[in-house]
Amino acid sequence: MPQYNLKDHLGNTRVTFTTKPKTVEFTASFESERAAEEEALYYNVAESRVTFSAAEANVDGGNEVTRINGSQPMGAGLALYVAPGDLLDMEVYGYYEGGSGYSTQSGINAIIGAVAGGFGGATGVGATEGQQGTFDALNSAITGVGLNGTSDDNVPAAFLNYMLFDEAMAMYQHGFVQISSAAGMDHEHMFLEDVLVEKEGLAYVWVSNESASLNWVYFDDMTVTLREGILVQQEDYYPLGLSFNGYKRYDPNYEGTYSTGGLGLKDLGFRQYDITTGRFHV
């Protein structure tokens, strides 16, 4: 990947960027024969997968989909590391077979429990620190946003959703697209495009059903496309040369140290080193 540096008058590298950022697609066909690959990326696939040819979008030629209703409000979901300047595209095909009573909503606690649990979160006795952190972040975010619901009793409150969290796991942006009557006995292409990431952190993308109705809604061929931004690294400096507000794009395959965005720390894998104070952090 070609990289270029912008330096200040003292020769310090302030910005590193690339002219060829990566684009990566994360696709879930929900077909059993691709389970090993897809379930390594997506959450809650095995728990919501069913065979139903009518709901199959026929993009991949299979016959399995993810389905959700009032007793199982979350379908497949994906969590991704994202960085400033990234763009996200999200799409899925929705389908349902008529019915009514969709304007009666599930309780918000049921939705929170389903979504947080679907992404591996848990709370209370026995929950690990990571599970509790995931639960707390999604609980706070969904409580703050509230439920979307539906204005039409004949159209499910079913959605393709996303939330963006910063490195402190505070949600700062969200969006959704609701399934429409076009998906009644047919396949509706639902999508969100060109979602700009402003902060380093995590993106959560998932399909949901907020209606209390036990009528099923089906989704198939879900794809999240990550178009990485051009920014690779950034550093600011104090007058005597110490750096602060450092950022370097995290690469899971990169071995060594990397800056943790905005904190001026170097991550050594097992603990973090503050180059300003010369001390290690947990």
Side-chain angles (χ1 to χ4, degrees), residues 90-92 148 156-162 175-180 188-193 206-208 219:
M90 297 151 275
E91 61 179 317
V92 72
N148 300 309
F159 305 90
L160 169 63
N161 316 267
Y162 78 88
F176 60 89
V177 58
Q178 183 185 356
I179 203 169
S180 76
E188 179 181 17
H189 185 207
M190 302 166 61
F191 58 91
L192 294 159
E193 294 181 313
W206 74 98
V207 291
S208 67
F219 292 97

Side-chain angles (χ1 to χ4, degrees), residues 110-126:
I111 301 298
I112 291 170
V115 175
F119 281 112
T123 187
V125 178

Side-chain angles (χ1 to χ4, degrees), residues 8-93:
D8 61 20
H9 65 290
L10 297 176
N12 298 313
T13 298
R14 303 300 293 268
V15 175
T16 301
F17 65 94
T18 178
T19 57
K20 294 184 178 180
K22 293 186 296 184
T23 296
V24 186
E25 285 190 354
F26 303 89
T27 298
S29 67
F30 307 121
E31 303 304 320
S32 296
E33 56 268 30
R34 300 175 192 169
E37 175 185 352
E38 294 178 359
E39 291 174 24
L41 297 172
Y42 278 80
Y43 290 84
N44 213 41
V45 172
E47 295 82 352
S48 61
R49 179 194 289 115
V50 296
T51 299
F52 188 35
S53 297
E56 167 64 44
N58 292 318
V59 173
D60 56 26
N63 63 355
E64 291 176 278
V65 296
T66 179
R67 75 173 184 180
I68 48 181
N69 68 2
S71 65
Q72 189 175 346
M74 178 185 169
L78 179 71
L80 285 178
Y81 165 80
V82 289
D86 290 352
L87 290 171
L88 289 172
D89 300 325
M90 297 151 275
E91 61 179 317
V92 72
Y93 288 85

Side-chain angles (χ1 to χ4, degrees), residues 2 9 60 117 130 137 190 193 201 218 222 224 229 235 247 249:
H9 65 290
D60 56 26
M190 302 166 61
E193 294 181 313
Y218 305 85
M222 183 173 177
V224 178
E235 292 283 353
Y247 161 77
R249 175 179 288 278

